[in-house]
Amino acid sequence: MNPSTRPAVWRFADRDTVRTADGTTWHRGLRRPRSWAALGSDLPERDDEAVRALLGIDPHAVFAPAGPDAYTALPGHVLDTPQALALLDVRPATGATLYRHSLDRTGAFLGSNPGRRSTPVPGLRPADVRTSLRGTAARHSRARITFDRAHGRLHARYAIGSTLHTHTYALTAP
C-alpha cells in the first residue's frame, strides 16, 4: 500500500510503540505522558502528530498498540447488549486494524501480562468490526467488549479452555 494512502492511527495511548525502518523504536509515555521517546537514544521527544507523520512517510514503520494487561479490566465503556453493539458508532474513524493476544498457562507462569501477540489484520471496515464483535458476543456468552473512545480502541476479551484471548481493534482514519 502506498504510504500516502495508508490509513493513519486515529488516536494513540501511552505504552504504544512504533518501530521504524532504521530500527529505532519509539515508545509513547516512556519519559512523559503523551510524548514519544526512543529508549537509549539522544533523539528529541516527539508528539503524536510527528509520529503520525513518521508512520505516513516510512512504508516499513510498524505500529503496535499497548498490549492489554490480562489482570486488569479493559478500558472504556462496556458494550454488553446486542443493541449496544448494533448502535456502535466509531465515526470519524473509517476502519480498524485487529491486534490479537492470547495468554495461556505457560505464558502466565512465565510472567506475561498481555500474552502472545498474533499477526495484525489491517484494513477492516467499521461494519467488519461490528460483525466480528457481534459474533464474539454470540459465541462467548461471558465475553467482555468495551469501547475506549478516548484512545480509539475497541476491546474484546473471552476465554477458551485455559487460554485468555484479547482482541484490540485500533481505529484508523484516512
Side-chain angles (χ1 to χ4, degrees):
M1 183 178 285
N2 182 343
S4 63
T5 61
R6 240 178 17 179
V9 176
W10 181 34
R11 295 188 177 156
F12 295 110
D14 284 349
R15 296 181 28 240
D16 287 349
T17 59
V18 170
R19 184 175 179 90
T20 60
D22 66 1
T24 303
T25 302
W26 293 90
H27 301 269
R28 189 172 191 264
L30 182 66
R31 296 184 186 136
R32 292 183 304 139
R34 298 180 305 281
S35 178
W36 293 82
L39 186 63
S41 170
D42 293 335
L43 294 170
E45 291 185 2
R46 296 183 178 201
D47 64 5
D48 287 344
E49 290 310 312
V51 170
R52 191 171 280 114
L54 179 68
L55 284 166
I57 62 171
D58 185 348
H60 301 292
V62 178
F63 167 76
D69 187 336
Y71 303 104
T72 61
L74 293 172
H77 175 73
V78 176
L79 304 173
D80 54 359
T81 65
Q83 295 80 13
L85 289 171
L87 296 173
L88 177 64
D89 183 14
V90 296
R91 285 179 287 180
T94 57
T97 299
L98 169 61
Y99 297 87
R100 297 171 296 203
H101 291 83
S102 58
L103 180 62
D104 58 12
R105 287 182 183 167
T106 304
F109 176 76
L110 295 175
S112 175
N113 283 352
R116 187 177 63 252
R117 184 182 303 230
S118 299
T119 304
V121 180
L124 299 174
R125 299 170 303 152
D128 299 334
V129 173
R130 188 177 298 110
T131 301
S132 176
L133 292 172
R134 282 179 168 167
T136 298
R139 285 188 308 278
H140 308 284
S141 61
R142 299 195 57 164
R144 184 76 163 175
I145 299 171
T146 64
F147 181 31
D148 181 7
R149 183 174 285 281
H151 297 115
R153 315 276 162 93
L154 285 150
H155 301 279
R157 180 177 284 160
Y158 57 93
I160 297 176
S162 62
T163 303
L164 183 65
H165 298 271
T166 305
H167 295 185
T168 299
Y169 297 87
L171 300 176
T172 58

